[in-house]
Amino acid sequence: MFPLSVLDLSPVASGSTAAQALRNSLDLAQLADRLGFTRYWVAEHHNMPMIASSAPEIMIGQIAAATSRLRVGSGGVMLPNHAPLMVAERFKMLEALYPGRIDLGLGRAPGTDPATSYALRRRQGITEEDDFLDRFNELMLLESRAFPPGHPFANVTAMPSDVPLPPIYLLGSSDYSAQLAGHIGAAFGFAHHFATFDAGEAMHLYRESFKPSPSHEKPYAILATHAICADTDAEAERLAGTVDLNFVRRAKGEYLPLASPDEAAAYDYAPADRARIAQNRTRMSVGSPETVKARLMPLIEATQAQELMVTSMIHDHTARKHSYELLAGIFA
C-alpha cells in the first residue's frame, strides 16, 4: 500500500456541534487505524466556527489512546503561538506515553486572524517579524541542551528529560517553506490543498536544500491534498458542493460551519464565486475511485511524494468515512 494518511481539521457541520466534530475525529481515526493508514494528523486553528481542532496536543493523546498502530501527530502546531519549552514538554510527554507513534508537525503561521493571534501571544513579546526560525532554534537547543554557559536557559531541561522529541515535520505551502524544511533537516509536508505555489517545484526545492539532522537523515516529502471520493462521480460532486460554498464564504470572511450539500446547491453564486470555485477545484480530486485515482497518480508522480495525506471537508460524517474507505481501496 502506498503510504496514505489523514489530515483532520475536525470540521463542524451545520446542524451539529463542535463537541460532536471532535468525537467524529476519534471515530474516523479508529477507522483509519483499521484500514491501514500510515498516520493521522490534527490541525491547530483558532476562532473558526467551522473547525473544532484548536488544541492538537490534546487530540493527539486521545487519538493515540483510541488506536493501536497509527502514527499520530500535529498538522501542525503553530510555533508562533507557543513557547518552545511548552512544545518540547508536551510532545516529549506524548512520546513517553506512545513511544514511536508521535509526530511533531510545525507550522510557521498563527492559524487564525490577527486579533486572535494577538490574544494568543500577548504575553510573549509579540514582534511583527517572522520569528519562527528563532523559536525553532530554541526548541532544538532545549532538546540538545546546547545553550552556552551563562545563557538564561542553560540549566532549563525539557521534561521528561529521558525521552526524545518525536520526528519533526515542517508544514508549508511556498518555496520558502520548502527550502526552510530542507535547511533545518525536517521532513516536509506540502499543503497542496490551499497552496498557490507549484507542488512539484516545492518538492524539488525541498530535496535540493535538504541537510541531514538528528530528526531525519534523508528527505521525506508528504503531499497533503483535498480529495472527496464517493461511489459515483455524481455523488462526489454533490458532496463537494459543501467545499465549494465553504471556499466562497471564506473568501468573504464568513467562517461558518460546513453547509450541507443541499444548502450549497441552493446558494445563489455570483460569477465571481463561480470563478473562485473553479480555481479551488484545480487543487481538489473529486469523483469515483477511478476518477480520483486518475487525478492523484499524476500528481504523486510529478512531485515524487513519498506519502499522500488527504483532508476531506465533507458535511456528513458517514460520507466522510466512506470517502476514506474508498481511498484506502485505491492505494491498497
Side-chain angles (χ1 to χ4, degrees), residues 13-254:
S14 62
S16 187
T17 66
Q20 184 60 53
L22 296 173
R23 289 191 288 269
N24 288 346
S25 290
L26 291 173
D27 184 49
L28 180 60
Q30 290 173 320
L31 174 65
D33 199 37
R34 295 193 298 271
L35 291 173
F37 280 69
T38 299
R39 68 189 85 235
Y40 196 104
W41 281 4
V42 292
E44 178 189 341
H45 289 285
H46 303 277
N47 196 32
M48 292 186 181
M50 56 172 285
I51 296 174
S53 182
S54 59
E57 312 94 310
I58 293 175
M59 284 302 293
I60 289 168
Q62 294 293 312
I63 291 169
T67 56
S68 60
R69 188 200 52 79
L70 277 173
R71 294 194 66 91
V72 189
S74 52
V77 164
M78 299 296 125
L79 194 54
N81 298 339
H82 306 284
L85 177 60
M86 186 68 75
V87 173
E89 293 194 326
R90 288 174 177 173
F91 276 82
K92 281 172 171 282
M93 286 185 65
L94 288 166
E95 180 66 22
L97 292 169
Y98 307 102
R101 292 185 57 206
I102 305 300
D103 297 325
L104 173 51
L106 298 172
R108 295 175 45 238
T112 188
D113 59 274
T116 307
S117 176
Y118 178 79
L120 287 163
R121 302 178 59 191
R122 62 190 296 261
R123 303 287 185 185
Q124 296 187 46
I126 297 174
T127 173
E128 294 295 325
E129 298 179 1
D130 182 352
D131 64 351
F132 173 86
L133 199 51
D134 289 339
R135 289 174 183 250
F136 178 81
N137 287 335
E138 186 175 313
L139 179 66
M140 293 297 95
L141 288 169
L142 285 164
E143 172 66 359
S144 62
R145 303 191 67 180
F147 283 104
H151 191 281
F153 298 162
N155 294 320
V156 175
T157 302
M159 302 297 291
S161 60
D162 57 347
V163 177
L165 276 177
I168 294 174
Y169 298 73
L170 182 64
L171 317 180
S173 59
S174 67
D175 52 345
Y176 175 75
S177 293
Q179 292 171 310
L180 179 60
H183 177 73
I184 65 177
F188 181 49
F190 182 74
H192 174 260
H193 53 297
F194 64 80
T196 56
F197 192 77
D198 180 71
E201 179 64 15
M203 296 302 200
H204 170 73
L205 290 171
Y206 164 62
R207 294 186 180 97
E208 187 178 58
S209 306
F210 186 82
K211 298 177 181 178
S213 72
S215 182
H216 295 276
E217 293 182 359
K218 299 178 181 179
Y220 190 83
I222 299 175
L223 180 69
T225 191
H226 200 155
I228 294 178
C229 199
D231 293 323
T232 65
D233 286 347
E235 175 60 11
E237 286 291 336
R238 188 184 76 85
L239 296 174
T242 292
V243 182
D244 295 339
L245 179 51
N246 178 59
F247 189 73
V248 166
R249 283 175 166 173
R250 289 190 64 171
K252 298 176 181 179
E254 300 172 1

